[in-house]
Amino acid sequence: MPLVRISLMQGREEGFGKQVGEVVYQAMTKTMNVPARDHFQVITEHDDAHLIYDPLYLEIPRTHGVVFIQITLNEGRTVEVKKAFYQVVAENLHRQLGVRLEDVFISLVEVKKENWSFGNGIAQYAQ
Amino acid sequence: MPLVRISLMQGREEGFGKQVGEVVYQAMTKTMNVPARDHFQVITEHDDAHLIYDPLYLEIPRTHGVVFIQITLNEGRTVEVKKAFYQVVAENLHRQLGVRLEDVFISLVEVKKENWSFGNGIAQYAQ
Amino acid sequence: MPLVRISLMQGREEGFGKQVGEVVYQAMTKTMNVPARDHFQVITEHDDAHLIYDPLYLEIPRTHGVVFIQITLNEGRTVEVKKAFYQVVAENLHRQLGVRLEDVFISLVEVKKENWSFGNGIAQYAQ
């Protein structure tokens, strides 16, 4: 169910965006009870005239390595679950791909379970 | 009001994405009471390192012909209306453009009616 | 906190999209109580087969100069605040960048305050 949009600066090594997406997917399955194989993402790369970030909002120093992760997912997860997700994403992006912890920007958009169709014109989660 | 984002694999015949959008628009007017001319879309094409789908989630076999359709629209439509929309989109994409039924992925994001301005700096739906 | 997505037609002068984003950011700080430096945007440019608008919905005449602005932000702003924001964005885009008032399309998506992480894997607004 989650639809993940990842936006990052262009010029990274080939496949980097997809690797970021894989880490996000693994973190969702680990912390947010997202089922295995529920993996749908759109990854885009931009130059610095088109990907805008503040280098110091909330006193967090950000660089061109910033990664925006916006996820549309079903409503109802607790604050604790969301916090666990943020932590695992940031730590694993850092550990596995060298992304700075400060450069991980995450936004969640919650929707109702009947707001999805995964194919065949059916609202699979509304059954 | 709906703002439609369509994401698909690059390399299709020219104009294919726009045709997909037209089918989505027609289905919205037919099933979701969207007014005529309420037609605003962003269509993007990606290579397979940037458009990620699972080829078998929920036992639905997907291919590179997958089409992601994410629609921001006003809240309040019933589950039955949403189901009718999914069915019409999938059937018409299949019938008119040869898209496989299994390749139609839809996500709805609902918002309040005062969350739109269609021009002139006015909240037309909040009047 | 707001994550702003701006979509416009390609072929404008270089830096135009970023200037649009700057106007949107200034309007958010002025009317919606968005903190200074809370400035995160993704700006994309499209040809007219990929950016679709109706040239007359709600009797508002739109042109290829249309600018779509979709903002994910915290819930809770009043209708009056949103109206003020729409007006300031449209007027300032017109005055500062020559965008036609009719060409300013805005969509807001509201989320809970715990739905953000601005870095370090922490839900800064949920504290």
Side-chain angles (χ1 to χ4, degrees):
Chain A
M1 134 212 62
L3 179 59
V4 178
R5 295 185 188 277
I6 295 170
S7 307
L8 44 87
M9 214 65 80
Q10 63 190 28
R12 309 296 300 251
E13 60 274 33
E14 200 175 318
F16 176 73
K18 187 171 177 176
Q19 290 178 297
V20 169
E22 183 67 27
V23 170
V24 171
Y25 163 67
Q26 296 291 348
M28 293 193 303
T29 62
K30 180 172 178 184
T31 64
M32 296 210 291
N33 208 27
V34 164
R37 288 187 163 281
D38 189 351
H39 190 12
F40 301 91
Q41 308 189 333
V42 182
I43 302 161
T44 54
E45 305 185 25
H46 310 269
D47 65 27
D48 61 6
H50 293 82
L51 188 71
I52 311 299
Y53 64 92
D54 185 86
L56 210 52
Y57 180 56
L58 298 180
E59 310 299 320
I60 300 168
R62 293 175 197 84
T63 70
H64 266 39
V66 73
V67 175
F68 291 0
I69 302 161
Q70 185 166 48
I71 305 176
T72 307
L73 78 172
N74 279 342
E75 63 191 6
R77 288 170 172 91
T78 65
V79 175
E80 292 317 306
V81 164
K82 292 172 184 173
K83 286 181 175 179
F85 171 68
Y86 302 149
Q87 186 178 356
V88 169
V89 170
E91 285 180 357
N92 287 353
L93 285 176
H94 179 62
R95 194 155 26 200
Q96 297 177 31
L97 299 177
V99 177
R100 295 171 65 256
L101 292 171
E102 296 92 339
D103 282 336
V104 181
F105 180 102
I106 307 172
S107 159
L108 305 182
V109 175
E110 293 175 287
V111 300
K112 294 184 194 310
K113 69 183 192 306
E114 62 263 27
N115 284 17
W116 300 91
S117 175
F118 295 91
N120 292 323
I122 292 172
Q124 282 86 4
Y125 289 169
Q127 310 303 315
Chain B
M1 130 213 65
L3 179 59
V4 178
R5 294 186 189 276
I6 295 171
S7 307
L8 44 86
M9 215 63 82
Q10 63 191 29
R12 307 297 300 251
E13 60 274 31
E14 200 175 318
F16 176 73
K18 188 170 178 177
Q19 290 178 296
V20 169
E22 184 66 27
V23 169
V24 172
Y25 164 67
Q26 295 291 349
M28 293 193 303
T29 63
K30 181 173 177 183
T31 63
M32 294 210 291
N33 208 27
V34 165
R37 289 187 161 281
D38 190 350
H39 190 13
F40 301 91
Q41 307 190 334
V42 182
I43 302 162
T44 54
E45 304 186 26
H46 310 268
D47 65 26
D48 62 4
H50 293 82
L51 187 70
I52 310 299
Y53 63 91
D54 184 87
L56 209 52
Y57 179 56
L58 297 180
E59 310 298 320
I60 299 168
R62 293 176 198 83
T63 70
H64 267 39
V66 73
V67 175
F68 291 1
I69 301 161
Q70 187 167 45
I71 304 177
T72 306
L73 79 172
N74 280 341
E75 63 191 7
R77 289 172 171 88
T78 65
V79 175
E80 291 317 306
V81 164
K82 292 172 184 173
K83 286 181 175 177
F85 171 68
Y86 302 150
Q87 187 177 354
V88 170
V89 170
E91 284 181 358
N92 287 354
L93 284 176
H94 179 61
R95 194 153 27 197
Q96 296 177 33
L97 300 177
V99 177
R100 296 170 64 255
L101 293 171
E102 296 92 338
D103 283 335
V104 181
F105 179 103
I106 307 172
S107 159
L108 305 181
V109 175
E110 294 176 287
V111 301
K112 294 183 193 311
K113 69 183 192 306
E114 62 263 27
N115 284 17
W116 300 92
S117 174
F118 295 91
N120 293 322
I122 292 173
Q124 283 84 5
Y125 289 167
Q127 310 301 316
Chain C
M1 130 215 64
L3 179 59
V4 177
R5 293 186 189 275
I6 296 171
S7 307
L8 44 88
M9 214 65 80
Q10 64 190 29
R12 307 297 300 250
E13 59 272 34
E14 199 175 319
F16 176 74
K18 188 170 177 177
Q19 290 177 298
V20 169
E22 183 68 26
V23 170
V24 171
Y25 164 67
Q26 295 291 350
M28 293 193 303
T29 62
K30 181 173 177 184
T31 64
M32 295 209 292
N33 208 27
V34 165
R37 289 188 163 279
D38 189 351
H39 190 13
F40 301 91
Q41 307 189 334
V42 182
I43 302 161
T44 53
E45 305 185 25
H46 311 268
D47 65 26
D48 61 6
H50 293 83
L51 187 71
I52 310 298
Y53 65 92
D54 184 87
L56 209 54
Y57 179 56
L58 297 180
E59 310 298 322
I60 299 169
R62 292 175 198 83
T63 70
H64 267 39
V66 73
V67 175
F68 291 0
I69 302 161
Q70 186 166 47
I71 305 176
T72 306
L73 78 174
N74 279 342
E75 62 191 8
R77 289 172 172 90
T78 65
V79 175
E80 293 316 307
V81 164
K82 292 172 184 174
K83 286 181 175 178
F85 171 68
Y86 302 149
Q87 186 178 354
V88 170
V89 170
E91 285 181 356
N92 287 354
L93 284 176
H94 180 60
R95 195 154 26 200
Q96 297 177 32
L97 299 177
V99 177
R100 296 170 65 255
L101 293 171
E102 297 91 337
D103 283 336
V104 181
F105 180 103
I106 307 172
S107 159
L108 305 181
V109 175
E110 294 175 287
V111 301
K112 295 183 193 312
K113 68 183 192 307
E114 61 263 26
N115 284 18
W116 301 90
S117 175
F118 295 91
N120 292 323
I122 292 173
Q124 282 85 5
Y125 289 170
Q127 309 302 316

